[in-house]
């Protein structure tokens, strides 16, 4: 049955004025109509009315880069440089990674993301079929792929098997309504040029995205320069990998020439400001990238380097950083950073029917209740969502026309069970790190 969703204000897209007293008619997985509540009620008398009361209804967020299952490592090792963190803590523990850990870690992450208004996430990790299982069961939307490395992976063994697994997933999920398989070589320092070329060929064959960590730290840039004589972007350019199919995470250490090159090649960027700050990597030149015409969305990165999965926090941090570093408070205003978290993220994934509210768009929506001290009073919805709201303020979430969070309760799975399982897994992880 069609649903008529009513809120105090509906944000349709950052480029349109918010709709006061507005409503959205959802039929099946799509938005059928948008307008004043009374008018839609007359046009669609059969529709079930869902009144969110004093609230803002907005397009669900797109988390453009994460490793969801790393919830199991949240707070395990903090305050370390990226390479020390990876090589001394994360990679050794990941050698013992088990399928069920990835599954439960992903489920917990999905609970956290839904509660933060995230309806789509991009995931690169190990044992990715387990993340797929979690996505299918929970009703969220995702673009994901198995992380590929030159060294043997606990997920698939030797690289050739990782490429074969990726191909198998690309074939199996080609028509899934909520899943898009992407090809995920981990980074230029963990993948040889041959690996990168094979991954890119696979992405091209299946017309999907290639997703990689790139130019995250100064050390990485120095390492790639020493190894290949080029910076990471020019290394990929030489290999013929810079194009509209490429989604890079981070892009912190970029020169003006590289920004220009990204714009020319149509490369997409997932900006992960809190992870970059926590790992001391620096601040991505977001305004320069946007001004050059590069599509930039927002990501949380993995919950072990953030340490949460809350895009409200990322929006605020992204905006504040650009203002603070430039001594210019007009930079990256609330509407623009909201656009990065919604429309730009969706477009970066090639999801043209997501990230905004309009007839014909897919019904991926979130609701923030205004009934909280820190959300009072209410003047401007963008200001409120970007500068005052946080994940816990989301009361309702719909993905593809189905409620997954309703009145603060997750409907599609047992969130408490995911918490209990991850608490158990953490006991085993702790034992492993003590042994090391
Ligand atoms: Zn990452």
């Amino acid at each position: 049955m069609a649903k008529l969703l009513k809120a105090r204000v509906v944000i349709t897209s950052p480029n349109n004025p918010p709709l006061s007293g507005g409503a959205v008619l959802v039929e099946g997985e799509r938005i059928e109509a948008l307008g004043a509540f009374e008018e839609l009620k007359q046009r669609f008398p059969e529709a079930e009315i869902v009144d969110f009361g004093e609230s803002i209804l907005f397009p669900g967020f797109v988390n453009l880069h994460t490793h969801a299952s790393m919830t199991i490592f949240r707070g395990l090792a903090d305050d370390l440089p990226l390479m020390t963190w990876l090589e001394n803590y994360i990679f050794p523990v990941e050698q013992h990674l088990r399928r069920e850990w990835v599954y439960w870690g992903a489920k917990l992450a999905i609970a956290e993301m839904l509660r933060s208004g995230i309806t789509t996430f991009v995931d690169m990790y190990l044992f990715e079929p387990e993340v797929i299982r979690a996505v299918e069961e929970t009703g969220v939307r995702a673009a994901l792929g198995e992380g590929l490395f030159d060294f043997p992976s606990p997920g698939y063994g030797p690289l050739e098997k990782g490429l074969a697994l990726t191909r198998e997933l690309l074939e199996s999920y080609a028509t899934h309504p909520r899943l898009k398989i992407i090809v995920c070589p981990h980074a230029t320092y963990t993948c040889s040029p041959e690996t990168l070329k094979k991954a890119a060929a696979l992405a091209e064959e299946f017309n999907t995205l290639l997703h990689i960590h790139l130019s995250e730290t100064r050390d990485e840039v120095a390492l790639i320069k020493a190894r290949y004589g080029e910076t990471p972007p020019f290394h990929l350019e030489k290999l013929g990998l810079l194009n509209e199919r490429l989604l890079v995470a981070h892009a912190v250490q970029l020169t003006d020439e590289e920004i220009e090159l990204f714009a020319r090649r149509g490369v997409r960027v997932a900006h992960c400001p809190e992870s970059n700050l926590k790992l001391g990597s620096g601040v991505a030149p977001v305004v320069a990238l946007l001004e050059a015409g590069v599509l930039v969305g927002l990501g949380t990165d993995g919950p072990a380097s953030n340490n949460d999965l809350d895009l409200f926090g990322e929006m605020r941090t992204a905006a504040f950083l650009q203002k603070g570093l430039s001594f210019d408070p007009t930079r990256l205003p609330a509407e623009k950073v909201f656009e990065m978290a919604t429309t730009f993220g969706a477009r970066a994934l090639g999801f043209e029917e997501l990230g905004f509210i309009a007839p014909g768009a897919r019904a991926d929506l979130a609701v923030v209740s205004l009934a909280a001290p820190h959300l009072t009073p209410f003047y401007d919805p963008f200001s409120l969502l970007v500068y005052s709201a946080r994940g816990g303020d989301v009361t309702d979430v719909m993905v593809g026309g189905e409620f997954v969070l309703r009145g603060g309760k997750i409907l599609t799975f047992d969130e408490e069970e995911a918490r209990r399982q991850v608490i158990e897994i953490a006991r085993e992880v702790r034992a492993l790190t003590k042994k090391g």
Side-chain angles (χ1 to χ4, degrees):
M1 184 163 81
K3 294 184 185 77
L4 185 55
L5 313 181
K6 177 176 185 269
R8 161 118 178 237
V9 170
V10 178
I11 292 180
T12 56
S13 89
N15 301 312
N16 290 316
L19 212 57
S20 229
V24 176
L25 194 280
V26 174
E27 173 94 70
E29 60 167 2
R30 285 179 195 274
I31 293 162
E32 181 78 24
L34 172 72
F37 172 70
E38 289 303 329
E39 182 207 317
L40 290 190
K41 199 175 131 188
Q42 287 196 349
R43 267 177 66 196
F44 304 95
E46 303 293 308
E48 175 197 351
I49 294 168
V50 182
D51 188 350
F52 297 117
E54 285 293 296
S55 60
I56 304 173
L57 176 65
F58 58 98
F61 293 135
V62 177
N63 184 356
L64 204 53
H65 176 70
T66 191
H67 316 279
S69 304
M70 290 182 86
T71 44
I72 63 174
F73 302 135
R74 186 189 339 246
L76 172 69
D78 297 306
D79 309 324
L80 296 166
L82 174 67
M83 291 301 172
T84 315
W85 178 74
L86 275 180
E87 286 169 9
N88 295 2
Y89 293 86
I90 299 302
F91 287 161
V93 181
E94 281 179 347
Q95 290 307 311
H96 303 273
L97 199 69
R98 297 216 296 265
R99 268 174 197 287
E100 321 84 76
W101 293 10
V102 173
Y103 170 72
W104 288 112
K107 257 188 151 169
L108 184 70
I110 290 167
E112 185 182 351
M113 287 194 274
L114 292 176
R115 290 189 171 283
S116 307
I118 293 166
T119 48
T120 298
F121 71 102
V122 175
D123 199 69
M124 170 202 299
Y125 204 52
L126 306 165
F127 295 114
E128 206 62 28
E130 297 297 318
V131 183
I132 292 176
R133 182 152 75 97
V135 168
E136 289 198 289
E137 289 175 15
T138 55
V140 72
R141 195 182 299 280
L144 41 75
E146 183 80 15
L148 303 168
F149 313 84
D150 286 337
F151 48 84
S153 153
Y156 52 77
L159 174 68
E160 285 312 315
K161 286 200 171 168
L163 290 164
L165 170 64
T166 305
R167 172 179 292 278
E168 195 185 305
L169 296 177
L170 283 162
E171 283 165 355
S172 304
Y173 293 94
T175 57
H176 195 286
R178 286 184 288 102
L179 266 172
K180 174 175 181 149
I181 304 297
I182 58 177
V183 185
C184 297
H186 173 262
T188 51
Y189 55 91
T190 46
C191 297
S192 68
E194 294 68 38
T195 303
L196 293 173
K197 277 198 212 159
K198 282 179 188 168
L202 203 51
E204 196 179 338
E205 182 184 338
F206 285 88
N207 190 26
T208 191
L209 289 174
L210 191 71
H211 184 34
I212 190 168
H213 295 97
L214 199 79
S215 299
E216 181 175 1
T217 63
R218 285 184 193 161
D219 288 353
E220 175 195 333
V221 175
L223 186 86
I224 296 306
K225 260 187 171 170
R227 204 180 279 176
Y228 303 111
E230 303 280 2
T231 61
F234 279 100
H235 175 53
L236 292 190
E237 167 75 350
K238 253 191 171 170
L239 294 173
L241 265 61
L242 289 193
N243 54 44
E244 290 189 345
R245 207 180 291 294
L246 187 69
L247 170 64
V248 308
H250 304 307
V252 175
Q253 304 294 335
L254 290 187
T255 63
D256 291 348
E257 200 187 353
E258 289 166 340
I259 292 170
E260 197 42 54
L261 181 66
F262 274 18
R264 220 167 42 238
R265 297 279 182 253
V267 173
R268 289 111 200 259
V269 171
H271 175 43
C272 306
E274 292 189 353
S275 171
N276 297 154
L277 287 177
K278 183 162 181 278
L279 291 166
S281 307
V283 179
V286 173
V287 172
L289 281 163
L290 289 170
E291 280 173 356
V294 177
L295 204 47
V296 186
L298 284 178
T300 57
D301 205 357
S305 63
N306 187 302
N307 287 357
D308 61 29
L309 297 166
D310 182 354
L311 271 192
F312 289 98
E314 300 298 330
M315 288 197 295
R316 193 173 319 157
T317 305
F320 287 178
L321 275 172
Q322 297 301 317
K323 296 169 196 303
L325 288 176
S326 63
F327 303 98
D328 178 359
T330 65
R331 290 200 145 203
L332 213 56
E335 288 85 350
K336 183 55 75 181
V337 83
F338 186 86
E339 193 166 24
M340 290 169 67
T342 53
T343 325
F344 286 0
R347 274 173 43 203
L349 292 176
F351 291 156
E352 300 294 333
E353 301 166 328
L354 276 185
F356 57 94
I357 296 180
R362 286 182 197 269
D364 285 17
L365 310 165
V367 177
V368 156
S369 162
L370 297 172
H374 65 284
L375 301 179
T376 308
F378 169 54
Y379 294 111
D380 177 273
F382 293 108
S383 165
L384 195 112
L385 290 182
V386 173
Y387 297 134
S388 306
R390 38 190 182 244
D393 299 322
V394 173
T395 56
D396 299 85
V397 172
M398 183 178 259
V399 180
E402 298 286 341
F403 277 116
V404 285
L405 180 76
R406 181 78 186 97
K409 191 179 180 325
I410 288 182
L411 301 182
T412 44
F413 63 104
D414 185 347
E415 177 183 20
E416 267 312 303
E417 190 192 7
R419 281 193 66 241
R420 277 197 305 274
Q421 293 283 352
V422 170
I423 289 167
E424 281 308 311
I425 291 165
R427 278 188 231 281
E428 295 182 62
V429 170
R430 202 174 288 123
L432 279 172
T433 48
K434 274 184 187 153
K435 252 186 253 163

